[in-house]
C-alpha cells in the first residue's frame, strides 16, 4: 500500500494538534510511549494472550480502531525523524500467531525508539503489517478506518478534548 497520502494527512493533523495545544517541546519520546500504549490496548482488545478466559475477541471494528490509533503514532514518529519518504508499506512479517506478533512488534518499536533509522522504521511497519494480515484486515479497510479516526481526532481537538 502507498503511504504518501497517509503521511500527508498525518502531517496536517500533527500540525493542527501541536498548534492547538501550543506544543513547543520535542514530543518524539512521548509519541513513542503513546505507540506502545496503543499497541498494548490493541493486544488487550484481541485478548489473544488471555489463556485464563473464555471470553472472545472484542468486535472487529473496535479492534480496527485501536489498530489505526497505532498507525497514527507510527506515521507521526516517522514524520518527527524525517522518514516520511517511505513510499510503500513494507512486506508483512511471516508470523500468524498474535501473541508472537505483539511481542515482536513491541520489540521492533522499542528498537526504533532507541535507534530511529529507516531500517528500524521499516521493521516496525512490517510487524504492524503482520498484525493486519493475522487480523484479516485489508489495506482498504485500514485506510478507511484511518481516515475516519483522523477526522475524529480533528473533531475532538475542536471540542476542546
Ligand atoms: O500528535 C498527535 C497526537 C495524537 N494523535 C492521535 C493518534 C490517536 O488516533 C489519537 C489518540 O488516541 P486515542 O483516541 O485513543 O486518545 P486517548 O486520549 O488515549 O483516548 P481516551 O482518553 O479515550 O483513552 O490521537 C495524533 O495523530 N497525533
Amino acid at each position: 500500500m502507498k503511504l504518501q497520502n497517509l503521511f500527508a494527512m498525518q502531517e496536517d493533523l500533527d500540525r493542527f494538534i501541536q498548534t492547538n495545544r501550543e506544543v513547543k517541546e520535542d514530543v518524539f519520546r512521548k509519541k513513542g510511549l503513546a505507540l506502545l500504549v496503543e499497541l498494548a490496548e490493541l493486544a488487550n482488545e484481541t485478548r489473544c494472550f488471555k489463556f485464563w478466559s473464555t471470553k472472545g475477541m472484542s468486535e472487529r471494528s473496535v479492534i480496527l480502531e485501536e489498530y489505526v490509533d497505532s498507525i497514527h503514532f507510527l506515521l507521526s514518529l516517522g514524520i518527527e525523524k524525517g522518514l516520511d519518504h517511505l513510499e510503500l508499506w513494507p512486506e508483512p512479517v511471516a508470523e500468524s500467531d498474535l501473541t508472537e506478533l505483539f511481542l515482536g512488534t513491541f520489540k521492533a518499536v522499542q528498537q526504533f525508539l532507541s535507534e530511529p533509522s529507516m531500517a528500524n522504521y521499516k521493521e516496525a511497519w512490517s510487524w504492524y503489517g503482520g498484525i493486519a494480515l493475522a487480523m484479516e484486515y485489508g489495506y482498504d479497510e485500514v485506510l478507511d478506518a484511518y481516515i475516519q479516526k483522523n477526522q475524529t481526532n480533528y473533531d475532538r481537538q475542536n471540542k476542546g478534548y
Side-chain angles (χ1 to χ4, degrees), residues 10 13-14 17-18 27 31 37-38 41 65-66 68-70 72-73 76 80 146 149-150 153 156-157 161:
Q10 188 64 46
L13 175 61
D14 286 353
I17 293 174
Q18 299 213 10
V27 287
K31 287 181 179 177
V37 170
E38 291 298 349
E41 287 179 1
E65 184 177 334
E66 293 295 350
V68 297
D69 279 335
S70 273
H72 275 77
F73 285 117
S76 194
E80 294 274 346
Y146 174 86
K149 183 63 193 259
N150 189 284
N153 284 323
R156 283 182 168 184
Q157 288 292 314
Y161 165 81

Side-chain angles (χ1 to χ4, degrees), residues 10-53:
Q10 188 64 46
E11 219 170 326
D12 288 346
L13 175 61
D14 286 353
R15 196 177 310 113
F16 181 75
I17 293 174
Q18 299 213 10
T19 306
N20 195 34
R21 307 302 314 163
E22 297 179 22
V23 179
K24 304 270 188 289
E25 57 174 325
D26 179 345
V27 287
F28 178 77
R29 301 283 293 171
K30 286 187 173 160
K31 287 181 179 177
L33 177 58
L35 179 55
L36 292 169
V37 170
E38 291 298 349
L39 186 57
E41 287 179 1
L42 175 62
N44 211 35
E45 295 295 347
T46 70
R47 305 179 64 81
C48 67
F49 57 93
K50 302 200 176 196
F51 60 86
W52 55 89
S53 168

Side-chain angles (χ1 to χ4, degrees), residues 32-103:
L33 177 58
L35 179 55
L36 292 169
V37 170
E38 291 298 349
L39 186 57
E41 287 179 1
L42 175 62
N44 211 35
E45 295 295 347
T46 70
R47 305 179 64 81
C48 67
F49 57 93
K50 302 200 176 196
F51 60 86
W52 55 89
S53 168
T54 54
K55 205 170 139 188
M57 279 195 182
S58 297
E59 264 180 45
R60 185 179 166 83
S61 61
V62 172
I63 301 175
L64 184 56
E65 184 177 334
E66 293 295 350
Y67 184 80
V68 297
D69 279 335
S70 273
I71 297 304
H72 275 77
F73 285 117
L74 187 55
L75 288 162
S76 194
L77 287 163
I79 294 166
E80 294 274 346
K81 293 296 172 189
L83 300 172
D84 47 329
H85 52 284
L86 176 63
E87 283 192 16
L88 293 176
W89 194 317
E91 279 294 298
V93 291
E95 170 62 65
S96 56
D97 181 77
L98 275 174
T99 298
E100 292 307 326
L101 280 165
F102 282 114
L103 291 173

